[in-house]
Amino acid sequence: MRTIDLNADMGELTGAAGRASDRNLLRYVTSANIACGYHAGDATVMKMTVEGCLELGVAIGAHPGLPDREGFGRRRHAVGADEAADMVLYQIGALQALIKAAGGTLAHVKLHGALYHMASDDEAMAMAVANAIYRLDDRLMLFGLPDTAWSQAVEACGLTFVAEGFADRAYLPDGRLMPRDREGAVHLSQDAVAMQAIDLAASGRFGTICLHGDGPGAVEHAMMVAEALQGAGIAIRSTK
């Protein structure tokens, strides 16, 4: 039977409603990418999300981004390769401390927003960040777009690369994600999200599929995607 991991970016919402949404989302995903305080989140939210993951058996991942809360980490900044690596290690370390204190283990790293795309395009940055993570813990899995500078750097370092697809994002002909400022870049229809998830999982090119936790209807999308995948005979399991 074909299997797929479902991951969600989490710990990015504020207030009681945000915490409730994340809590419900954890019931449908198998991996969580937890914001580490730069683009979103804080120590309390990180700790609560870690505890929810451990309670429900969801694999825990770090989701480091650029220090840009106003732009939610989605705006590119002039950041050097070594500086990017330092920022990533700083954020992973903060999350690792909370995970260890709770009795858990960090399973993977997924870069966030602009940093995700910068590392996909910039060979020097990709190698610096991947090498830094390797030196920290060579057992960590790294999520990202396939056939990019990031995937090549991760594999060159000897780390495990997990190709990621996006159920709720439109793709360009070259396999990159359509920029968010273009019309139709984000799928809002639950049916469209579910069908794309099935297509991605069935292609055999991806080990994990992302569902964004900060968008409207995130929990409903996740529930429908999980049901659609299982209905198509695709089992949902974490990559850890």
Side-chain angles (χ1 to χ4, degrees), residues 2-222:
R2 189 177 297 279
T3 64
I4 195 72
D5 174 52
L6 278 186
N7 79 76
D9 303 339
M10 308 193 73
E12 297 176 328
L13 303 175
T14 60
R19 291 193 294 271
S21 177
D22 270 4
R23 179 72 180 183
N24 288 328
L25 191 56
L26 282 174
R27 301 184 183 280
Y28 300 104
V29 300
T30 44
S31 293
N33 321 307
I34 302 177
C36 300
Y38 265 30
H39 75 279
D42 57 35
T44 299
V45 173
M46 291 160 67
K47 177 184 176 183
M48 292 176 62
T49 310
V50 165
E51 291 172 345
C53 289
L54 292 175
E55 180 182 341
L56 296 173
V58 176
I60 303 172
H63 196 38
L66 296 176
D68 177 24
R69 285 180 172 266
E70 182 180 350
F72 200 62
R74 288 176 175 157
R75 302 181 297 189
R76 292 193 180 222
H77 290 235
V79 176
D82 290 340
E83 184 182 3
D86 292 343
M87 289 192 297
V88 167
L89 287 182
Y90 181 87
Q91 293 174 81
I92 295 174
L95 182 64
Q96 276 187 317
L98 294 167
I99 295 170
K100 184 175 181 179
T105 303
L106 182 67
H108 67 275
V109 176
K110 173 187 167 181
L111 304 181
H112 169 78
L115 186 58
Y116 183 99
H117 295 290
M118 290 163 68
S120 294
D121 299 334
D122 187 321
E123 293 181 6
M125 180 176 291
M127 188 58 69
V129 174
N131 269 321
I133 295 173
Y134 177 86
R135 292 193 298 270
L136 175 67
D137 187 345
D138 62 9
R139 298 166 298 178
L140 292 172
M141 295 178 292
L142 273 59
F143 292 4
L145 293 176
D147 304 318
T148 61
W150 178 241
S151 66
Q152 294 166 7
V154 171
E155 292 172 347
C157 288
L159 291 164
T160 299
F161 176 75
V162 181
E164 180 179 38
F166 289 78
D168 55 4
R169 293 291 306 279
Y171 281 84
L172 296 171
D174 65 358
R176 301 299 181 97
L177 295 177
M178 182 181 291
R180 281 181 173 269
D181 59 0
R182 295 193 191 179
E183 184 176 355
V186 179
H187 299 315
L188 301 178
S189 162
Q190 291 184 11
D191 289 338
V193 173
M195 288 304 300
Q196 182 153 303
I198 292 173
D199 290 343
L200 292 170
S203 73
R205 295 187 63 231
F206 303 95
T208 188
I209 295 174
C210 174
L211 296 168
H212 286 98
D214 63 300
V219 175
E220 291 77 13
H221 283 181

